[in-house]
Amino acid sequence: MNESEPSGLQALRALIRGELPAPSIGQTMGLTAVEVEPGRITLEARPDSRHLNPAGAVHGGFAATCLDGAAALALFSTLEASTAHSTVDLNVKYVRPLSVGETYRVQGWVVERTKSLAICDAQVLDAAGKLYAKATTTFVIRG
C-alpha cells in the first residue's frame, strides 16, 4: 500500500467517527457503519416506510442491498481507498421477513481474496442474534 494514500480501513474508521459524510446509499437505506476491523464490518440497518413493497412488507431488495453493501465494505477495509471493486454476483438466502422500525445488525467479512477477485459473506441479524438473511458475494478488484 502506498504510504501517502489512505486505506479503505482508515476511511471507514473516519466515517464511523463522523469525520466523513455517509454515502448517499447509506442514507437512502438507513445504514450506518458501527464497527470495522481489517476484513470485517458491522452495520446497523433500520428499514422504514420507504422500503416497503406493494404488499406492505419490507422489500427483499432492502436485505440484498444491505448484504451487498456490508460485503463490499468488508472488502474495502482491506484495500487502498482508491482501488475500484464491484460486485460480480450476489447470492442471497432469505430466512425470515424484516420489519419496519426494527434495527438489524448487518455483518460482512472477507472469506478469500486474490489480487483480482474476492469472495465475501454477510448476514442480517436481529438484536437477539436471530438470522434473517445471508449472502455470498463475489467481487472483481481493479487496481
Side-chain angles (χ1 to χ4, degrees):
M1 184 177 302
N2 180 340
E3 291 298 320
S4 64
E5 179 164 9
S7 70
L9 183 62
Q10 290 168 326
L12 290 168
R13 287 180 173 158
L15 176 70
I16 290 169
R17 289 190 304 264
E19 298 168 3
L20 292 175
S24 59
I25 189 68
Q27 295 170 8
T28 299
M29 297 302 296
L31 276 172
T32 305
V34 294
E35 293 178 31
V36 67
E37 60 186 70
R40 298 188 72 83
I41 193 155
T42 300
L43 310 173
E44 285 185 349
R46 188 175 172 95
D48 60 37
S49 61
R50 297 175 297 169
H51 308 118
L52 298 178
N53 63 24
V58 175
H59 193 283
F62 178 85
T65 301
C66 293
L67 291 162
D68 186 51
L73 291 174
L75 175 58
F76 182 62
S77 75
T78 70
L79 301 171
E80 291 182 357
S82 64
T83 301
H85 58 288
S86 57
T87 302
V88 173
D89 66 27
L90 173 67
N91 184 318
V92 178
K93 302 295 184 195
Y94 299 98
V95 178
R96 39 184 67 85
L98 301 178
S99 298
V100 167
E102 293 292 320
T103 300
Y104 298 93
R105 193 169 64 252
V106 187
Q107 299 172 325
W109 60 95
V110 176
V111 174
E112 189 66 38
R113 181 184 150 207
T114 68
K115 285 183 79 169
S116 61
L117 196 71
I119 299 169
C120 301
D121 283 350
Q123 59 188 9
V124 177
L125 307 166
D126 68 8
K130 188 180 291 187
L131 181 67
Y132 280 70
K134 63 180 285 178
T136 296
T137 307
T138 305
F139 295 95
V140 63
I141 302 167
R142 296 183 200 99

